DNA sequence: GTGGATGCAAACCGTTTGCAGAGGT
DNA sequence: ACCTCTGCAAACGGTTTGCATCCAC
């Protein structure tokens, strides 16, 4: 079980701009701005929050461009989209290994973790039902245990 | 690992009408209709689908009443609300034991399962992070394995 | 220069809400 | 009779889209 990101976001090693350009995606100013935000903040912002952060850098950016860009990046596999609770979609850069999320019900904090054993059991369950897992969603919602 | 509902919905043994009335909830015609639909269909309909089914029985029912009733029933613990993928909320009667869901990506079918071992590991993970799980969401998305 | 990307505003979808009237207890 | 619940229509929040313009290639 691990709780830290496998590798801290490293601007030098993870060059989505180049990757995307090679995939035929035009690197425009809004896209560059959004990519930088996702690279530099390892949290899980929603579209509006990304818009706010982007506006601070480039006030001419529009919310629809944020949404369009998030969809593009998701299609290209550069980000993951989550829907915690019933709230808006929240995003994170897709670099690093797969992980699941524990959401702090009191603070809203999102803690990443991964468990090979749980993954293995999920596969086992699916297989026994005649299925092959394409992706899954595992979210734990809880509160800090009071130290007594 | 179990894949069937612990006990098939049994109108006689599971009397939510009485339960709700005792909780001070008025049993009106729309509510009775909706409760019957949830009792008789063991699938996971969304509000619009419940509205359609209810309209067939009582054409005067309104969609807002369906939404209001679903919220009420959720608060009273009579139903569970799910949000598969990014679609609308889908509901199921809360009777029977806890289970998770496997969603067939090709057909949209929802298969219920439960795994004590996965639950135990989830608790273990949460505990090791200093948390206590209040509830969780586990969904497997997959396709039928081709028999070769 | 050209086709894709943008900003804006309007549309969209699932859901909630204000209100006056209906109906359960 | 009381007070809750209902239907209706309007509002809502998050997201998508049509269009004319702009800009990366």
């Amino acid at each position: 079980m691990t709780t830290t990101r496998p590798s801290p976001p490293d601007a030098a090693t993870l060059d989505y701009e180049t990757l995307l350009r090679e995939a035929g995606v035009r690197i425009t100013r809004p896209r560059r701005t959004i990519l930088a935000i996702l690279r530099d903040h390892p949290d899980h912002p929603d579209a509006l929050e990304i818009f706010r952060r982007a506006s601070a850098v480039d006030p001419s950016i529009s919310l629809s461009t944020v949404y369009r860009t998030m969809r593009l990046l998701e299609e290209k596999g550069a980000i993951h989209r989550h829907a915690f609770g019933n709230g808006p979609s929240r995003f994170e850069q897709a670099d690093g290994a797969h992980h699941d999320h524990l959401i702090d019900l009191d603070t809203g904090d999102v803690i990443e973790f991964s468990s090979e054993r749980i993954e293995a059991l999920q596969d086992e369950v699916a297989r026994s039902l005649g299925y092959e897992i394409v992706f899954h969603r595992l979210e734990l919602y809880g509160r800090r245990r009071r130290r007594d």
Side-chain angles (χ1 to χ4, degrees), chain A:
Chain A
M1 218 269 304
T2 57
T3 69
T4 51
R5 282 237 174 135
S7 58
D10 181 344
T13 54
L14 213 101
D15 190 350
Y16 273 114
E17 255 182 61
T18 306
L19 248 47
L20 288 167
R21 187 181 282 110
E22 281 166 1
V25 173
R26 288 189 185 176
I27 303 304
T28 63
R29 195 139 91 91
R31 286 176 182 172
R32 208 188 316 272
T33 303
I34 291 170
L35 281 170
I37 288 168
L38 293 169
R39 169 174 25 84
D40 298 338
H41 300 259
D43 56 350
H44 303 72
D46 61 22
L48 194 57
E49 177 59 25
I50 292 171
F51 172 65
R52 281 196 212 98
R53 295 178 189 175
S55 297
V57 177
D58 169 12
S60 75
I61 210 165
S62 83
L63 183 54
S64 21
T65 293
V66 173
Y67 278 109
R68 278 190 277 237
T69 302
M70 300 327 281
R71 190 136 56 93
L72 174 76
L73 296 180
E74 188 186 13
E75 281 167 17
K76 298 299 180 187
I79 61 169
H80 290 139
R81 176 192 301 261
H82 303 289
F84 302 135
N86 284 323
S89 291
R90 297 173 60 173
F91 307 92
E92 68 178 319
Q93 204 170 244
D95 62 299
H98 165 76
H99 57 255
D100 296 302
H101 299 93
L102 165 60
I103 294 91
D104 187 314
L105 286 169
D106 296 314
T107 66
D109 288 353
V110 175
I111 295 145
E112 304 177 353
F113 70 88
S114 73
S115 163
E116 285 181 24
R117 295 170 68 200
I118 291 181
E119 308 276 320
L121 284 172
Q122 287 176 1
D123 284 338
E124 196 181 296
V125 167
R127 188 155 23 81
S128 81
L129 293 173
Y131 277 82
E132 204 147 21
I133 297 180
V134 175
F135 62 96
H136 72 257
R137 178 198 260 176
L138 171 58
E139 292 153 18
L140 309 181
Y141 296 81
R143 10 188 76 100
R144 271 226 141 79
R145 283 203 308 163
R146 299 182 314 130
R147 58 176 72 260
D148 45 317

